[in-house]
Amino acid sequence: SLSAGATPAPAAGQPPTPPLSERLRRFHELLGFDGSAAAGSDASAGAGCPSAAALGEKSRRDVEDTAAEISATVAARVARDELEQRLERRMAGPMDRFQQSLDALAEEQRRLQRQQEWHRQQLAEEGARQEHRHSEHVLQLEEALLSQSIRREEELSEELRELEREWYDLEAADVRVRAEATRLQEE
């Protein structure tokens, strides 16, 4: 983390960067706004040019104001970056725990879905077994009814044959009785 006014470490293979205050001082010297350069320029300008001195002072103040703004902006950025880094470090643990919780919830949801799918399959299989048992039971009932119907049909057929035999016997007896009655009438 950088403090206000400190400079970042140079990248590998780069010469070290001087502090911001040193760079600003050099900037002022290059522009000729330090105290000694301003005094020299005032002396060379003479007493008859107060406006040049005033302009130099105004320019120096503008440069100082700009430098102060730059310094404040850099300090604010450094403070913001430092704050972001601290927040990231402070949030790393809770975010990791939150992510772990989300992962655990997702795994639990997948487990519940697998369990629900297993139960659904079990219910489908049980339904198929019950339907099969029901079909078998219906077939058994139909077979029993068919067997009962066949036995009843056989009983009725036997009764019908018995009745037909009795009918033939009665017809034969009737024929004999008529023949006897005819014979008796003829006599």
Side-chain angles (χ1 to χ4, degrees):
S1 66
L2 298 175
S3 61
T7 58
Q14 297 288 328
T17 306
L20 180 62
S21 60
E22 179 66 25
R23 287 185 289 168
L24 287 173
R25 189 181 59 72
R26 285 186 189 159
F27 177 72
H28 286 249
E29 287 175 0
L30 290 173
L31 292 175
F33 293 118
D34 67 6
S36 63
S41 65
D42 285 346
S44 64
C49 293
S51 62
L55 284 176
E57 180 63 25
K58 181 179 180 329
S59 295
R60 186 186 62 74
R61 277 194 310 258
D62 288 345
V63 169
E64 286 177 353
D65 290 345
T66 302
E69 287 177 17
I70 291 172
S71 179
T73 302
V74 168
R77 284 185 183 171
V78 167
R80 186 193 69 213
D81 292 346
E82 186 176 301
L83 179 62
E84 286 178 359
Q85 289 173 356
R86 279 190 298 190
L87 283 174
E88 285 175 6
R89 285 192 302 270
R90 285 183 68 190
M91 292 303 294
M95 289 303 288
D96 287 345
R97 289 191 297 276
F98 180 70
Q99 185 61 46
Q100 289 171 354
S101 297
L102 285 178
D103 293 344
L105 285 173
E107 180 56 36
E108 180 64 16
Q109 186 176 11
R110 285 190 295 273
R111 187 189 68 77
L112 287 173
Q113 286 174 341
R114 286 190 303 267
Q115 188 177 21
Q116 187 178 21
E117 182 60 30
W118 181 82
H119 283 297
R120 199 175 9 255
Q121 288 175 350
Q122 293 299 313
L123 287 172
E125 290 173 4
E126 181 60 29
R129 282 192 294 270
Q130 286 181 358
E131 187 175 334
H132 181 70
R133 283 193 297 264
H134 177 72
S135 297
E136 285 182 353
H137 185 66
V138 167
L139 284 174
Q140 289 172 354
L141 286 174
E142 288 176 351
E143 287 175 358
L145 288 172
L146 183 59
S147 176
Q148 185 180 12
S149 295
I150 290 172
R151 276 196 310 274
R152 181 68 180 142
E153 186 178 333
E154 288 173 354
E155 289 172 1
L156 290 174
S157 293
E158 184 60 36
E159 286 180 18
L160 182 59
R161 284 190 293 274
E162 185 63 36
L163 286 174
E164 285 177 349
R165 278 192 299 269
E166 287 177 10
W167 176 258
Y168 290 130
D169 288 345
L170 283 175
E171 276 188 353
D174 185 47
V175 168
R176 280 192 308 268
V177 168
R178 284 188 189 172
E180 185 66 34
T182 307
R183 187 181 62 80
L184 285 174
Q185 274 182 351
E186 292 175 358
E187 283 182 16

